Amino acid sequence: MNLNSHAIFTLYAVYGILLKVMASKGKVRGISGQHPLVQNVTVTEGGTANMTCRVEYNDNTSLQWSNPAQQTLFFGDKKALRDNRIELIRASWSELTISIHDTTLFDEGMYTCSLFTMPVKIAKAYLTVLGVPEKPKIEGLMKPAVEGDQITLTCLTRGSKPAADLRWFRNEKEVKGAKEVNASGNTFTVRSSLQLHVDRRDDGVAYTCRVDHEALLQAPQQTTEVLEVHYAPRVEIAHSLAIPQEGQYLKLDCVSQGNPSPDPVMWTKDGVEILDLGRVIVEGRELTFTSLNKTDNGTYRCEASNHLGTSSDEYVLYVYEPTTLPPSTTLPFHPTSPDSTALLGTHATDPTVTGYRDPNALAHHGTDHALIGGVVAVVVFVTLCLIIVLGRYLARHKGTYLTNEAKGADDAPDADTAIINAEGNHAHAEEKKEYFI
């Protein structure tokens, strides 16, 4: 404010006091109870603040607005401070409204409205200026990251007042970070860190840092970064038939996942690279048999590689003759489609993985059981027959028999005499026989 402005302001002030003194003579007593009415104002930095002071009953007494430095802004409709940002909106005996454009943080403070009664009455309104936080920045991003790496993402925003809040989102799901607040003059700098142990599931995931602040209620500030993660491939062979038969169409699909993409893949049969032979078609990741026959039997291998590693899977193909298949084996089957989020690394000869069936088990399973059953039945029958014959023989020949020596041994002192007695007593042999039934 220059000297001329001070002089004008002083004259206006004196003029107001004189008017009050004159009005105090013979005026209504109730006028002395009037009081200015004001309200606190909140504005965003760079916005416009309207300051209003009202009086319900006024006896033509002047109103005045002063800033926090006690500098007069307007005395009635007279501008006292040369600041192009400050304008008069309305001036009357009952209201004085001014506006402050392009507000800054330095405009914040207590503003005073004065009513020049005797004594002078005042009302104070606080102007709050919100510091708008800057658009957040994400630091620490590695492009590309490698599966297994530990990385730290840091989100940074400056200029907020009061301090802003930072929030992290993994795609659309909120995740918690570590927040740090530092004062920087009249504003605050806010950081939030997020620790990540990256794997293939993070490839292509969007990490977003969002600033929440009362100055941004209608337009939140946020920044998004998409992670790129490199990882070794995983391979699985998908097949279109459960039980391949002669003359059928079969497609093997080498489904591989990896970053960078392991393309192209290599097909081999029994360790030898497969060439496109017309009936057997190699096209990218697909191996197609237009009409199967027995010469296609073998182990088929698909292999994929990138700079981080190599992966392979195998499929054992056995082509059956349709007439040799038992009815129970012709079950409906749908082509397999591997889970893209969890590809297998198992050997393709696992029946649960590839649909491979042991040809011996399919072609001879029933015959083997019949043969074994017949042999067991014959063995049991022969054994039973032998037991019956042996039992009857033992039963017919069971008893006690006496030799000639025994027949004459009852009254003989020696063996010779016993023999003579036996011959002489032949007529009584029937008496010496013993039978046991």
Side-chain angles (χ1 to χ4, degrees), residues 105-358:
L105 297 178
F106 299 101
D107 292 322
E108 183 174 271
M110 193 71 72
Y111 286 73
T112 304
C113 177
S114 303
L115 176 64
F116 285 90
T117 59
M118 291 296 292
V120 176
K121 295 182 178 180
I122 63 173
K124 293 183 179 294
Y126 196 87
L127 174 62
T128 301
V129 180
L130 302 177
V132 181
E134 296 177 354
K135 185 175 181 178
K137 298 178 182 178
I138 296 179
E139 301 174 347
L141 185 66
M142 300 170 58
K143 285 190 176 183
V146 177
E147 185 174 28
D149 283 349
Q150 290 275 4
I151 65 175
T152 301
L153 299 182
T154 301
C155 182
L156 174 69
T157 181
R158 296 183 175 90
S160 60
K161 178 181 170 294
D165 187 26
L166 294 178
R167 300 170 64 188
W168 284 100
F169 294 86
R170 186 182 189 272
N171 288 336
E172 297 181 358
K173 184 178 180 180
E174 185 170 1
V175 291
K176 189 172 182 60
K179 182 180 176 182
E180 178 185 347
V181 179
N182 295 308
S184 179
N186 294 331
T187 61
F188 296 89
T189 298
V190 184
R191 289 181 175 85
S192 182
S193 299
L194 192 64
Q195 299 282 343
L196 297 178
H197 181 78
V198 296
D199 59 25
R200 62 188 62 211
R201 293 174 297 180
D202 288 310
D203 186 39
V205 171
Y207 281 88
T208 300
C209 177
R210 190 174 79 187
V211 179
D212 283 348
H213 193 266
E214 53 189 306
L216 302 171
L217 294 180
Q218 297 181 352
Q221 294 275 22
Q222 64 182 36
T223 298
T224 299
E225 293 285 354
V226 178
L227 257 63
E228 180 184 358
V229 181
H230 282 187
Y231 51 92
R234 289 181 184 174
V235 171
E236 182 184 11
I237 297 177
H239 49 89
S240 60
L241 292 176
I243 304 174
Q245 302 178 37
E246 286 185 317
Q248 288 185 326
Y249 173 92
L250 173 65
K251 183 173 74 172
L252 302 181
D253 189 5
C254 182
V255 182
S256 61
Q257 274 197 337
N259 192 15
S261 178
D263 196 24
V265 300
M266 184 176 69
W267 283 99
T268 60
K269 176 187 177 184
D270 299 328
V272 179
E273 186 174 359
I274 301 174
L275 301 177
D276 194 335
L277 302 177
R279 190 180 57 82
V280 181
I281 302 172
V282 180
E283 186 175 0
R285 300 175 184 273
E286 295 181 355
L287 178 62
T288 303
F289 301 84
T290 57
S291 180
L292 289 171
N293 61 45
K294 290 287 187 179
T295 62
D296 295 324
N297 291 346
T299 300
Y300 291 83
R301 180 184 179 91
C302 169
E303 183 176 290
S305 302
N306 63 16
H307 70 282
L308 294 175
T310 300
S311 178
S312 64
D313 193 14
E314 292 182 349
Y315 174 80
V316 178
L317 175 62
Y318 185 87
V319 180
Y320 296 95
E321 297 179 6
T323 56
T324 62
L325 291 176
S328 60
T329 62
T330 57
L331 298 176
F333 179 79
H334 300 284
T336 60
S337 57
D339 184 357
S340 62
T341 61
L343 290 176
L344 303 177
T346 58
H347 196 280
T349 55
D350 184 353
T352 63
V353 176
T354 65
Y356 167 76
R357 301 291 186 274
D358 184 0

